[in-house]
Amino acid sequence: MSNTPMEESGHALPDTEAEELAAKHGISLEEAKRHIREQGHSHASKDGAAEAAKMKPPQ
């Protein structure tokens, strides 16, 4: 068991997975979080969804 807290005194920890996906694909952090929620944590699924979203024309 670890003594490392999951949250720092009420502040959420940074979402490094979403930050990495956003930086890699040039998308917003919110878009990256949405892809992770929808596609799960598989790198291939997240990357594919992010690339497909970049190819769609803006609405």
Side-chain angles (χ1 to χ4, degrees):
M1 186 182 326
S2 173
N3 291 331
T4 306
M6 294 302 289
E7 292 186 7
E8 297 176 14
S9 63
H11 300 298
L13 295 174
D15 188 345
T16 55
E17 183 179 19
E19 290 173 359
E20 179 182 311
L21 186 65
K24 180 176 181 179
H25 294 284
I27 59 176
S28 73
L29 187 56
E30 290 307 314
E31 286 179 286
K33 288 179 181 182
R34 182 176 53 81
H35 290 309
I36 292 168
R37 274 194 313 274
E38 293 174 359
Q39 302 298 322
H41 296 279
S42 163
H43 287 290
S45 296
K46 292 183 302 190
D47 288 343
E51 284 298 317
K54 287 194 314 188
M55 298 294 183
K56 289 183 183 177
Q59 296 179 4

